[in-house]
């Protein structure tokens, strides 16, 4: 028994010795054994090579739990729920579709009160709506309502904050709990939390807001808009900074940032860490503490050095000379820097977690921006370095497209917002993301015309191209693959026939009249599918027996007595190509055939014969219009020109009624407006084709036409050349009182159009296309269009 106890004791003692010898070092690490249980701060390990490693962060910074003044996630959620009481709103539940059925998509703005404050930015928004094609002054016709109360700045500390909004909107008889209302907002919340509190209950209204959190964003209902300054242009806007000669896309700097560094409060974490990626060579990251009233009270050891380095670089120069621009969050998620980077073709690198990007419902930002993560800042340099130069150039080109199509003016921002809402009303006739993200953009691709890409004139040149795979939201997609274009592009091309559309302004009584000779010449073209005559006179058209016999159908359409009638989208036009003609135009079948062949290669442009040009007159400080024969042209008159029938729909449905009224009041203004419209859409000049030098035209006395249908006719018996269709070399532009008055009206028209668009869309060109071997000293048998050289 004694021996047994002895062995048990020895075994127990040996076990304790082994445990202490092998596990004692680990046991001593516990606070219970070390006596450090009450110590809250951990002792960070000291690496043996600590002296060789650069210290990127202070241990105190790493151990801190953040700014105690910032709200917790639970507090932020509670604040958002108090603002968005109808957080489950969708178009199906909070929007009355029946208001849009009878009169279509019309927008009504509340009348402005005299003593009501209105910021410059909100005034621009209301002006954009009231001068658009959506506007109606009658609330009974309206589908959507816009408040006249300025709701852009809802910061309580701002001088533009409007008080008692709740009381005011409840007194509006049309408010109806906010249904079918659209509210614009740029700034919400205030120091220090900058919550999304608007200070009033939006009810069931759609919110178009900048710096939108994805948590509070109602998909398919709300709209995220960009933050823009009060100086943002009303219309037009400056062009992007990327030019054709800026190749290769690599610039002096790879990645840049220059901006404020917040020492405390929301948004300070991201901007305080930006100095870590600065290398002083191809990555420039500059911050300054010198902003705000009490910045010196919170300054740290880096502030003085940062402020000195900050002044060494110019912000605009960095934008011009950098490939990528860091766009971190500020106090709010969005910043002016986002639009500045887009315009500069500096690819935005977004560091703003939780930001619902502007118009993300329509725009694929994976093609124009790098969406980063605030917590993975140190990975940004390596991520952007691996992007292939071809991909970089595609990014830059897309930034320029998006800037010009949707963001360069307040008009475009507002119209994009309205068009997105309009697409929701009829989803089966809405634009695809391809239309929104491809030239010329969603605003210029009307779904009422068609939803098939092959019906538009813009996408034929896309055949055979490959486009990048869009990056997913919140992920860096630096080195993507590509995907082919949709299958319906395979083998698609413009129509092989055209419709001749002749505007008649005088009676036809014999086959010797120019319109009858013109019909015979056009019908002889192998490409002619039909002839439409737009009858613009009071007297009825001649009976069918007096019209020439043609091999193609000939249809008479009665006009409404307006100059803009010639560009109405008549259902009778069955082909993509339209040959627009005046009754006094003189063309041969060969000229028509060759011009149509040229148009099939350039279906998005105007291709025709009589050309004009514009110029800037520095003395008069206005645009000038000339018909003199020069080496440049920017206008091809629609008296003899091919274009796509889609431009009839754009002319009638895209342009506001005020512009069409301008056309109806000025002689020959419809020609200029159509050229301005096509140039604004394509950013390309028209094309002039071969024209016989002896091409002369006269205008007979116009009998039985309404006043205002055409320009002033010449005196009886005169043979003055038609000011619209005569050879540019022969026309002086100011011959006679009538010619001078007409020329003055054309100048006025051009300047009024430039003012409405906000810039001059016309593009000059020195190109004229002739057939192969044209005027060459070779056998006529070798030439395809020999008749073009004959008298």
């Amino acid at each position: 028994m004694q021996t047994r106890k002895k062995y048990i004791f020895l075994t127990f003692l040996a076990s304790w010795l082994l445990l202490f010898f092998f596990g004692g070092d680990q046991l001593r690490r516990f606070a219970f054994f070390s006596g450090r249980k009450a110590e809250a701060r951990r002792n960070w390990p000291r690496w043996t090579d600590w002296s060789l490693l650069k210290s990127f962060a202070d241990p105190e910074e790493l151990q801190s739990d953040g700014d105690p003044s910032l709200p917790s996630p639970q507090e932020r959620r509670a604040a958002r729920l108090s603002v968005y009481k109808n957080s489950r709103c969708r178009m199906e539940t909070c929007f009355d579709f029946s208001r849009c059925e009878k009169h279509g998509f019309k927008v009504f703005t509340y009348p402005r009160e005299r003593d009501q404050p209105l910021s410059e930015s909100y005034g621009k928004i209301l002006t954009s709506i009231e001068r658009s094609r959506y506007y109606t002054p009658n609330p009974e016709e309206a589908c959507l309502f816009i408040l006249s109360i300025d709701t852009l700045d809802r910061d309580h500390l701002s001088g533009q904050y409007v008080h008692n909004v709740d009381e005011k909107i409840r007194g509006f008889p049309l408010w109806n709990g906010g249904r079918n209302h659209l509210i614009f907002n740029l700034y919400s919340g205030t120091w220090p939390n900058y919550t999304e509190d608007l200070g009033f209950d939006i009810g069931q209204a759609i919110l178009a807001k900048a710096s939108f959190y994805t948590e509070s964003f109602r998909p398919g209902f709300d709209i995220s808009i960009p933050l823009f300054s009060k100086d943002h242009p009303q219309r037009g806007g400056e062009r992007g900074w990327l030019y054709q000669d800026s190749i290769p896309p690599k610039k002096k700097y790879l990645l840049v940032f220059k901006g404020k560094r917040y020492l405390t409060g929301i948004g300070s974490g991201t901007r305080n860490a930006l100095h870590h990626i600065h290398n002083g060579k191809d990555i420039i990251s500059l911050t300054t503490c010198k902003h705000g009233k009490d910045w010196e009270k919170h300054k740290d050891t880096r502030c003085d050095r940062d402020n000195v380095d900050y002044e060494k670089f110019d912000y605009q120069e960095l934008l011009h000379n950098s490939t990528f621009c860091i766009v971190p969050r500020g106090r709010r998620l969005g910043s002016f820097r986002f639009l500045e980077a887009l315009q500069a073709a500096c690819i935005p690198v977004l560091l703003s977690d939780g930001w619902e990007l502007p118009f993300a419902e329509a725009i694929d930002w994976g093609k124009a921006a790098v969406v980063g993560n605030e917590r993975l800042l140190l990975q940004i340099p390596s991520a952007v370095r691996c992007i292939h130069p071809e991909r970089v150039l595609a990014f830059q080109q897309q930034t320029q497209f998006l800037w010009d199509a949707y963001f360069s003016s307040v008009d475009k921002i507002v119209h994009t917002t309205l068009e997105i809402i309009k697409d929701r009303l009829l989803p089966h006739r809405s634009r695809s993301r391809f239309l929104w993200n491809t030239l010329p953009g969603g605003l210029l691709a009307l779904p009422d015309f068609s939803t098939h890409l092959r019906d538009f004139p813009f996408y034929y040149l896309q055949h055979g191209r490959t486009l990048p795979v869009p990056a997913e939201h919140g992920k860096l997609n630096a080195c993507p693959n590509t995907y082919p274009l949709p299958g319906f592009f395979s083998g698609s091309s413009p129509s092989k026939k055209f419709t001749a559309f002749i505007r008649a302004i005088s009676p036809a009584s014999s086959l010797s009249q120019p319109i009858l000779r013109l019909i015979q010449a056009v019908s002889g073209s192998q490409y002619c599918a039909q002839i439409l005559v737009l009858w613009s006179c009071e007297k009825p058209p001649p009976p069918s027996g007096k019209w020439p016999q043609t091999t193609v159908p000939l249809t008479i359409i009665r006009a409404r007595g307006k100059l803009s009638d010639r560009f109405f989208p008549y259902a009778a036009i069955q082909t993509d190509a339209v040959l627009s003609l005046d009754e006094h135009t003189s063309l041969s079948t060969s000229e028509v055939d060759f011009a149509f062949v040229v148009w099939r290669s350039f279906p998005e442009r105007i291709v025709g014969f009589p050309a004009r040009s514009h110029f800037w007159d520095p003395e008069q400080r206005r645009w000038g219009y000339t018909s003199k024969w020069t080496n440049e042209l920017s206008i091809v008159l629609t008296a003899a020109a091919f274009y796509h029938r889609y431009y009839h729909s754009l002319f009638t449905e895209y342009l506001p009624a005020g512009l069409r009224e301008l056309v109806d009041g000025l002689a020959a203004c419809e020609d200029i407006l159509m050229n301005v419209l096509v140039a604004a859409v394509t950013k390309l000049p028209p094309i002039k084709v071969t024209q016989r030098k002896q091409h002369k035209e006269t205008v007979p006395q116009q009998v039985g036409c309404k006043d205002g249908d055409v320009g002033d006719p010449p005196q009886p018996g005169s043979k003055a050349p038609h000011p619209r269709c005569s050879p540019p070399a022969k026309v002086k532009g100011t011959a006679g009182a009538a010619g001078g008055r007409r020329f003055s009206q054309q100048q006025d028209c051009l300047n009024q159009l430039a003012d409405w668009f906000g810039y001059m869309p016309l593009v000059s060109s020195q190109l004229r296309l002739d057939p192969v071997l044209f005027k060459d000293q070779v056998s006529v048998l070798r030439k395809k269009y020999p008749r073009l050289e004959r008298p």
Side-chain angles (χ1 to χ4, degrees):
M1 189 68 181
Q2 295 291 337
T3 304
R4 184 177 180 183
K5 291 181 178 179
K6 182 178 179 180
Y7 282 118
I8 292 175
F9 175 76
L10 290 175
T11 302
F12 182 76
L13 179 63
S15 300
W16 269 103
L17 289 174
L18 290 173
L19 179 64
F20 181 80
F21 182 79
F22 291 105
D25 184 62
Q26 284 76 11
L27 292 174
R28 284 193 297 270
R29 293 177 182 268
F30 288 104
F32 178 80
F33 291 95
S34 63
R36 299 179 182 178
K37 183 176 181 179
E39 186 176 317
R41 185 171 298 176
R42 289 187 296 169
N43 190 11
W44 287 81
R46 295 179 176 273
W47 306 104
T48 56
D49 56 351
W50 67 271
S51 59
L52 303 178
L53 291 174
K54 183 179 178 180
S55 178
F56 287 100
D58 186 6
E60 294 184 2
E61 177 184 348
L62 295 174
Q63 296 176 66
S64 65
D65 294 329
D67 194 332
S69 65
L70 299 182
S72 66
Q74 183 178 0
E75 292 173 335
R76 288 200 298 267
R77 284 193 296 270
R80 287 170 189 153
L81 288 175
S82 66
V83 177
Y84 303 99
K85 297 179 181 178
N86 293 280
S87 59
R88 296 176 179 266
C89 266
R90 296 295 183 267
M91 294 294 290
E92 296 80 8
T93 59
C94 297
F95 195 89
D96 184 3
F97 286 80
S98 63
R99 293 198 63 100
C100 312
E101 293 175 355
K102 185 175 181 180
H103 300 283
F105 187 72
K106 294 294 182 181
V107 183
F108 173 78
T109 59
Y110 281 65
R112 307 181 195 180
E113 300 178 5
R114 292 184 178 180
D115 300 332
Q116 183 173 291
L118 197 68
S119 66
E120 184 177 351
S121 296
Y122 199 65
K124 290 180 178 179
I125 290 177
L126 295 180
T127 301
S128 296
I129 297 172
E130 291 168 358
R131 66 191 296 270
S132 71
R133 67 184 186 276
Y134 318 101
Y135 176 70
T136 177
N138 184 2
E140 298 298 326
E141 299 178 356
C143 168
L144 192 67
F145 298 86
I146 310 293
L147 296 176
S148 60
I149 300 175
D150 189 348
T151 57
L152 288 187
D153 195 342
R154 303 305 297 163
D155 187 336
H156 298 278
L157 302 179
S158 171
Q160 296 180 340
Y161 181 83
V162 179
H163 297 271
N164 304 321
V165 174
D166 254 331
E167 298 178 7
K168 295 178 180 178
I169 60 178
R170 287 173 185 169
F172 294 149
L174 298 172
W175 176 243
N176 191 25
R179 289 178 76 89
N180 290 57
H181 279 69
L182 174 63
I183 294 175
F184 288 92
N185 174 256
L186 296 181
Y187 307 98
S188 62
T190 188
W191 171 268
N193 298 336
Y194 292 95
T195 63
E196 298 193 65
D197 184 14
L198 299 181
F200 67 96
D201 183 11
I202 65 173
Q204 297 179 348
I206 299 172
L207 184 59
K209 185 181 182 303
S211 305
F212 229 135
Y213 278 90
T214 54
E215 294 180 11
S216 55
F217 180 79
R218 296 171 290 184
F221 192 73
D222 291 329
I223 297 177
S224 177
I225 63 175
L227 183 66
F228 59 90
S229 69
K230 64 178 182 179
D231 299 323
H232 206 57
Q234 172 77 63
R235 52 186 178 272
E238 297 181 3
R239 299 188 62 181
W241 296 357
L242 183 66
Y243 299 99
Q244 294 180 351
D245 55 358
S246 57
I247 306 276
K250 186 176 181 181
K251 300 181 182 180
K252 181 178 180 180
Y253 302 111
L254 173 70
L255 185 65
V256 301
F257 173 80
K258 183 180 180 182
K260 299 176 182 178
R261 177 163 71 91
Y262 304 126
L263 298 172
T264 59
I266 191 168
S268 59
T270 303
R271 297 205 175 199
N272 273 330
L274 288 174
H275 71 281
H276 293 317
I277 63 174
H278 174 80
N279 63 15
K281 298 177 182 178
D282 62 342
I283 299 179
I284 305 298
S285 181
L286 307 170
T287 58
T288 180
C289 309
K290 195 182 296 185
H291 59 89
K293 297 179 180 179
D294 54 351
W295 70 272
E296 292 184 348
K297 185 188 303 183
H298 302 284
K299 65 181 295 187
D300 55 19
T301 56
R302 281 186 18 235
C303 278
D304 292 335
R305 184 184 60 189
D306 287 351
N307 292 341
V308 173
D309 294 339
Y310 186 84
E311 301 298 332
K312 294 180 181 179
F313 292 84
D314 179 73
Y315 178 65
Q316 296 294 324
E317 183 181 349
L318 288 176
L319 286 179
H320 272 285
N321 294 285
S322 180
T323 305
F324 296 90
C325 284
I326 299 178
V327 182
R329 64 162 298 153
R331 292 301 191 189
R332 300 174 178 87
L333 294 178
S335 68
F336 298 145
R337 190 182 310 274
F338 180 65
L339 291 188
E340 292 169 351
L342 282 182
Q343 182 185 7
C346 189
I347 303 170
V349 179
L350 306 177
L351 295 175
S352 186
D353 295 353
W355 183 21
E356 179 70 19
L357 296 182
F359 305 136
E361 181 177 338
I363 296 176
D364 183 1
W365 285 109
K367 296 179 180 179
V370 178
V371 183
N373 191 302
E374 295 180 49
R375 293 171 296 179
L376 303 178
L377 172 64
L378 299 182
Q379 296 183 9
I380 296 296
S382 59
V384 298
R385 287 186 193 279
C386 86
I387 302 179
H388 194 275
E390 292 183 0
R391 179 64 175 149
V392 169
L393 181 58
F395 267 114
Q396 291 174 337
Q397 291 173 336
Q398 193 69 2
T399 62
Q400 299 302 274
F401 158 65
L402 294 177
W403 164 259
D404 181 72
Y406 307 118
F407 300 109
S408 62
S409 67
V410 177
D411 276 3
K412 292 177 181 177
I413 293 174
V414 173
H415 293 175
T416 303
T417 303
L418 296 179
E419 286 293 339
I420 289 176
I421 297 175
K422 183 181 177 182
D423 274 0
R424 295 172 180 172
L425 303 180
L426 297 171
H428 60 284
R429 294 176 60 184
S430 62
R431 303 165 181 84
S432 65
R433 282 180 71 87
F434 184 88
L435 290 176
W436 282 106
N437 292 277
T438 309
L439 284 168
L443 296 183
L444 296 167
L446 303 181
D448 293 337
F449 173 77
S450 177
T451 56
H452 299 287
L453 301 187
R454 60 178 174 268
D455 293 332
F456 294 92
F458 316 116
Y459 308 111
Y460 297 108
L461 298 181
Q462 305 278 355
H463 177 62
R465 288 181 53 192
T466 56
L467 297 177
V469 173
E472 295 183 17
H473 247 10
K475 296 183 179 180
L476 289 175
N477 195 14
C479 305
N481 298 318
T482 58
Y483 65 91
L485 283 171
F488 49 72
F489 278 118
S490 177
S492 71
S493 61
S495 61
K496 299 179 180 179
K497 298 285 186 177
F498 68 84
T499 296
F501 194 71
I502 305 173
R503 184 170 182 269
I505 56 177
S506 60
S509 58
S510 68
L511 293 177
S512 62
Q513 295 231 355
I515 186 173
L516 304 185
R517 294 197 301 268
L518 180 61
I519 290 174
Q520 290 176 331
V522 172
S523 64
S525 171
Q526 59 179 317
Y527 306 112
C528 184
Q530 60 177 341
I531 299 176
L532 303 179
V533 178
L534 182 65
W535 192 255
S536 301
C537 291
E538 280 185 327
K539 294 184 176 181
S544 58
K546 290 193 174 182
W547 294 96
Q549 296 296 321
T550 61
T551 57
V552 296
L554 190 149
T555 306
I556 311 299
I557 301 175
R558 296 300 299 267
R560 299 170 298 174
K562 298 181 178 180
L563 287 172
S564 57
D565 286 348
R566 72 181 308 165
F567 299 128
F568 186 81
Y570 296 100
I573 301 177
Q574 299 295 322
T575 60
D576 291 338
V578 177
L579 173 58
S580 177
L581 298 166
D582 279 354
E583 65 172 348
H584 302 292
T585 302
S586 176
L587 290 176
S588 67
T589 303
S590 295
E591 287 176 306
V592 172
D593 287 347
F594 176 67
F596 178 67
V597 170
V598 172
W599 177 86
R600 293 197 74 225
S601 297
F602 305 94
E604 76 282 10
R605 302 205 209 182
I606 297 178
V607 177
F609 300 92
R612 303 290 185 264
S613 61
H614 76 290
F615 62 92
W616 175 253
D617 188 342
E619 295 182 357
Q620 300 287 336
R621 299 195 59 80
R622 65 198 305 260
W623 292 102
Y625 174 90
T626 179
S627 57
K628 292 182 179 180
W629 194 301
T630 64
N631 289 331
E632 287 195 351
L633 64 98
S634 56
I635 297 172
V636 167
L637 301 182
T638 55
F642 281 98
Y643 53 80
H644 199 282
R645 69 187 176 104
Y646 175 61
Y647 292 124
H648 279 219
S649 294
L650 272 184
F651 189 95
T652 304
E653 299 171 12
Y654 172 76
L655 297 177
L659 278 185
R660 295 195 298 275
E661 292 173 1
L662 171 66
V663 164
D664 294 330
L666 295 175
C669 191
E670 79 279 9
D671 276 325
I672 300 174
L673 179 54
M674 177 56 83
N675 277 267
V676 167
L677 174 62
V678 175
V681 172
T682 63
K683 310 297 186 295
L684 296 171
I687 295 178
K688 178 176 172 57
V689 292
T690 306
Q691 181 180 6
R692 292 179 300 173
K693 281 193 174 181
Q694 50 274 71
H695 178 67
K696 297 180 182 180
E697 307 184 46
T698 59
V699 182
Q701 183 180 5
Q702 298 161 4
V703 181
C705 290
K706 291 183 179 179
D707 294 337
D709 275 358
V710 294
D712 293 333
Q715 297 300 320
S718 67
K719 295 185 179 180
H722 192 286
R724 188 182 306 174
C725 306
S726 56
K730 305 287 185 182
V731 176
K732 302 301 182 184
T734 56
R741 184 162 55 253
R742 182 186 184 87
F743 185 77
S744 176
Q745 288 183 339
Q746 291 169 334
Q747 299 247 68
D748 291 341
C749 170
L750 187 64
N751 283 276
Q752 291 187 52
L753 294 180
D755 178 68
W756 190 90
F757 279 88
Y759 70 107
M760 173 51 71
L762 292 176
V763 182
S764 296
S765 172
Q766 296 182 348
L767 174 68
R768 189 187 81 180
L769 295 183
D770 297 335
V772 177
L773 302 179
F774 180 70
K775 294 292 185 180
D776 286 354
Q777 299 299 322
V778 297
S779 172
V780 175
L781 297 177
R782 299 178 61 185
K783 299 182 179 183
K784 186 174 182 179
Y785 303 98
R787 294 182 179 273
L788 292 181
E789 303 179 27
R790 297 179 182 177

